[in-house]
Amino acid sequence: KFRWVMVTRDAFSGQELFMNSLKGILEDVLNESEKTGRLIAELLAKHVDGQLRSNKNCNDEGEKFLNDVLSLFRHLSSKDVFEAFYKRDLAKRLLLQKSASIDFEKSFLSKLKTECGTGYTAKMEGMFKDMDLSRDVMASFGAAACTANNKMNNTTTTGKMDVQILTTGYWPVYQQMSNIKLPTDMCDYIAKFEEYYANKYQGRRIAWQHSLGNCHVKANFIKGTKELVLSQYQAIVLILCFNNTSKQSWTIKEVMKTTGIDNRDEAERILLSLAVGKEGTRVLTKSSKKKNRKVVADDDTISYNKNFESRQHRIKITQIQMKETQEERNKTHESVSRDRLYLIDAAVVRIMKARKTIDHQTLLGEVMAQVKFPCNGPDVKKRIESLIEREYMERDENSVSRYNYLA
């Protein structure tokens, strides 16, 4: 876009007529059809996610990148699709600490707010508020726990827990394993925090999202002590299975039964990340009759790597991430489509409430002028029929093309 803007400015002295024509052409190309508009919005959100994870953009070049993205974003008609995918990726960056710069995250959010209004960024701003509130809650919890230990003359501690408090409406919904089993130390800390939180915030309910957790585990190897940085599921597997000296080797089914990880694909990804990851992170070993390193068969055995060594003291073991499936993408698009229906309903009711009575074509025109995403006459007509069935409005007795509002 920038190149064509410069050409237009240089060749036509930046005349308004030509600049407006360029804007129209860009919008026609980016929103050629609803499918094209949705795809471009999704790809732009993914591109921004990749750049905000990179340290290369934490400078003036990064600020230019954000401005360029916003310049392109202005021409998108499916801004709600961009919001849905961007919000999912933002949640992962914040919770998994993948963001290169929180200042750049907030800067881009501020630009989106200026461009689209408070309602567009409200949930994403709520995510940052949750992160700030969590730090305050954990500071208060730490002080309360310290006071309790002093009163009981208990100076020993086996670890530390940091909890992120997430407001349900702000964050995406994540799948959980209902049968997951936790090590005793984790259970003790969870019980203490739940007691503290219930006393401080009465009436609130906590639902733990273990799939988003991460752990720092102290591991004693023959060749030295290391600090392992792991996902919570990886830590659960190591502690519940391979911290047991009475059993030397495990199959994937035994690991699943012991840990309560009932998703075989997830269990396989965890074991592969611990056993066949990059050099210097293989704390487990995999013995297999087959040569395929990327698969854990039912008869493969996984053992503790007693000869593990690394020059680093702190070792980050990256879990093999499951790529976003077509099903997940479809769910995100379905969620956007569902939200669009509610917005059309709200626009129709708002107009009917103000006008009391209105003809069909005028109503269609006003609805399409109010909604900020592409919609057509049949979409609005379906929502009108739905509202008539739910008795928000009715057809006029003297004219089928006129509607009356029902208070």
Side-chain angles (χ1 to χ4, degrees), residues 116-132:
C116 300
T118 307
Y120 189 82
T121 58
K123 290 184 178 180
M124 290 181 275
E125 288 180 302
M127 292 181 185
F128 285 100
K129 289 179 182 177
D130 280 352
M131 301 302 285
D132 293 336

Side-chain angles (χ1 to χ4, degrees), residues 192-247:
K192 290 177 182 177
F193 183 81
E194 286 181 338
E195 181 182 2
Y196 162 81
Y197 196 78
N199 290 333
K200 186 168 184 178
Y201 302 100
Q202 295 183 2
R204 294 189 185 180
R205 185 176 63 86
I206 294 178
W208 294 93
Q209 304 284 325
H210 299 297
S211 64
L212 303 174
N214 55 75
C215 299
H216 290 234
V217 176
K218 182 179 178 182
N220 298 314
F221 297 97
I222 294 175
K223 297 185 179 181
T225 300
K226 305 293 181 182
E227 181 182 345
L228 307 180
V229 182
L230 312 155
S231 73
Q232 188 168 348
Y233 283 168
Q234 286 174 321
I236 289 171
V237 168
L238 285 181
I239 294 171
L240 293 185
C241 298
F242 299 95
N243 199 36
N244 183 355
T245 56
S246 62
K247 186 173 177 60

Side-chain angles (χ1 to χ4, degrees), residues 1-12 14 18-19 22-23 25-26:
K1 178 193 172 182
F2 178 74
R3 182 161 66 95
W4 289 111
V5 169
M6 294 303 295
V7 169
T8 306
R9 283 178 180 172
D10 294 343
F12 304 107
F18 290 102
M19 297 303 290
L22 177 61
K23 178 183 176 183
I25 291 169
L26 281 169

Side-chain angles (χ1 to χ4, degrees), residues 61-156:
E61 192 69 24
E63 191 67 29
K64 179 181 178 300
F65 167 76
L66 296 182
N67 290 330
D68 289 345
V69 167
L70 201 67
S71 178
L72 196 60
F73 170 81
R74 291 191 181 103
H75 300 291
L76 296 179
S77 60
S78 296
K79 291 182 173 66
D80 49 350
V81 176
F82 177 90
E83 178 199 2
F85 282 95
Y86 181 79
K87 186 175 74 173
R88 285 182 64 87
D89 294 333
L90 172 63
K92 289 181 181 178
R93 291 196 301 274
L94 292 178
L95 296 175
L96 302 178
Q97 299 176 357
K98 296 288 186 180
S99 179
S101 170
I102 294 298
D103 290 338
F104 267 83
E105 295 278 8
K106 291 183 176 180
S107 173
F108 186 59
L109 199 60
S110 176
K111 295 176 189 294
L112 288 176
K113 183 177 181 180
T114 302
E115 186 67 27
C116 300
T118 307
Y120 189 82
T121 58
K123 290 184 178 180
M124 290 181 275
E125 288 180 302
M127 292 181 185
F128 285 100
K129 289 179 182 177
D130 280 352
M131 301 302 285
D132 293 336
L133 177 62
S134 296
R135 283 191 286 271
D136 295 338
V137 170
M138 288 312 300
S140 177
F141 171 65
C146 184
T147 302
N149 286 336
N150 290 337
K151 287 182 179 180
M152 298 174 63
N153 293 322
N154 182 12
T155 58
T156 61

Side-chain angles (χ1 to χ4, degrees), residues 228-400:
L228 307 180
V229 182
L230 312 155
S231 73
Q232 188 168 348
Y233 283 168
Q234 286 174 321
I236 289 171
V237 168
L238 285 181
I239 294 171
L240 293 185
C241 298
F242 299 95
N243 199 36
N244 183 355
T245 56
S246 62
K247 186 173 177 60
Q248 299 300 318
S249 60
W250 297 71
T251 64
I252 187 170
K253 289 185 176 180
E254 291 172 336
V255 169
M256 291 172 64
K257 183 178 180 181
T258 302
T259 60
I261 299 174
D262 47 20
N263 185 320
R264 194 189 188 286
D265 291 339
E266 182 68 25
E268 184 175 54
R269 281 193 296 272
I270 293 169
L271 292 174
L272 288 174
S273 67
L274 296 169
V276 296
K278 64 181 181 180
E279 195 70 35
T281 65
R282 300 168 188 168
V283 295
L284 302 179
T285 58
K286 181 169 83 81
S287 299
S288 175
K289 297 177 181 178
K290 300 177 182 179
K291 294 182 179 181
N292 192 345
R293 296 176 68 251
K294 296 183 179 180
V295 174
V296 179
D298 288 344
D299 57 350
D300 289 351
T301 56
I302 311 294
S303 309
Y304 157 67
N305 183 5
K306 60 182 179 181
N307 295 318
F308 175 79
E309 59 180 326
S310 174
R311 294 180 181 179
Q312 297 177 321
H313 173 70
R314 175 178 288 189
I315 302 163
K316 185 174 183 179
I317 302 179
T318 305
Q319 182 167 346
I320 298 172
Q321 296 292 326
M322 179 177 61
K323 292 183 179 180
E324 187 176 49
T325 63
Q326 185 63 38
E327 182 182 358
E328 289 175 317
R329 290 181 63 246
N330 290 342
K331 282 184 178 179
T332 304
H333 281 291
E334 287 171 7
S335 174
V336 171
S337 299
R338 194 163 49 247
D339 290 342
R340 286 182 175 185
L341 298 181
Y342 299 148
L343 291 172
I344 293 175
D345 286 355
V348 171
V349 171
R350 192 162 50 243
I351 293 166
M352 291 301 303
K353 192 172 183 180
R355 300 287 292 272
K356 304 303 181 185
T357 181
I358 191 172
D359 67 83
H360 180 74
Q361 290 302 324
T362 305
L363 178 59
L364 284 184
E366 293 198 18
V367 169
M368 291 182 185
Q370 284 195 20
V371 297
K372 298 179 180 179
F373 50 83
C375 71
N376 50 42
D379 291 335
V380 179
K381 189 175 180 181
K382 287 179 183 178
R383 301 320 301 162
I384 291 173
E385 295 293 340
S386 175
L387 290 170
I388 291 174
E389 289 178 5
R390 288 180 281 161
E391 298 183 351
Y392 282 90
M393 53 195 289
E394 65 178 2
R395 281 192 171 84
D396 192 275
E397 293 181 356
N398 301 319
S399 174
V400 293

Side-chain angles (χ1 to χ4, degrees), residues 36-50:
T36 301
R38 280 174 172 259
L39 179 61
I40 290 176
E42 177 187 346
L43 293 176
L44 184 61
K46 294 297 180 186
H47 179 57
V48 174
D49 174 57

